[in-house]
């Protein structure tokens, strides 16, 4: 909430299941509709993004999708500054953002 200058972008790893309507619903349930942009598209449209960020958007197994667990913090020029997994320490993310926003 304190980082108004931070853009948050989520990238779909499920082109068949992540429709614009489904992602709007998900973001609304999470209270993130006004904070997060969610990139969706076809496999061919998303594949270059996955490749650029080394994201594995893998097979569906038992109804769950296997994919890379990655959070990238990028600077204003698009350079990677921090790489986190989903079990990150919120203080680590806050510290990284404070440094970038100075």
């Amino acid at each position: 909430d304190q980082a108004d200058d931070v853009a948050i972008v989520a990238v779909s790893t499920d082109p068949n299941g992540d429709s614009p309507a489904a992602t709007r619903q998900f973001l609304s349930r999470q209270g993130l509709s006004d904070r997060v942009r969610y990139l969706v598209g076809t496999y061919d449209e998303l594949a270059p993004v996955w490749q650029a960020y080394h994201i594995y958007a893998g097979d569906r197994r038992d109804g769950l999708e296997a994919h890379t667990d990655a959070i990238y913090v990028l600077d204003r020029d698009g350079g990677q500054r921090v790489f986190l997994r989903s079990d990150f320490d919120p203080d680590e993310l806050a510290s990284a953002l404070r440094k970038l926003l100075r």
Side-chain angles (χ1 to χ4, degrees):
D1 290 337
Q2 299 172 9
D4 290 334
D5 293 338
V6 174
I8 302 171
V9 179
V11 178
S12 172
T13 57
D14 181 10
N16 296 324
D18 285 343
S19 67
T23 56
R24 278 193 300 274
Q25 229 176 19
F26 170 78
L27 293 174
S28 178
R29 281 193 313 269
Q30 303 302 317
L32 297 171
S33 295
D34 296 333
R35 301 277 312 169
V36 177
R37 301 282 187 227
Y38 205 120
L39 181 64
V40 296
T42 66
Y43 182 92
D44 289 340
E45 291 168 334
L46 293 169
V49 178
W50 299 334
Q51 184 176 13
Y53 290 96
H54 309 284
I55 296 170
Y56 171 74
D59 308 317
R60 288 200 169 266
R61 297 180 189 144
D62 299 325
L64 298 174
E65 184 176 340
H67 60 79
T68 301
D69 172 14
I71 299 169
Y72 292 90
V73 177
L74 308 177
D75 61 24
R76 293 180 192 268
D77 297 323
Q80 181 181 330
R81 301 296 288 272
V82 177
F83 175 81
L84 304 167
R85 298 286 187 188
S86 65
D87 62 349
F88 68 93
D89 177 354
D91 290 335
E92 183 179 5
L93 176 59
S95 174
L97 292 175
R98 275 193 294 276
K99 288 176 188 174
L100 284 174
L101 293 171
R102 286 186 191 159

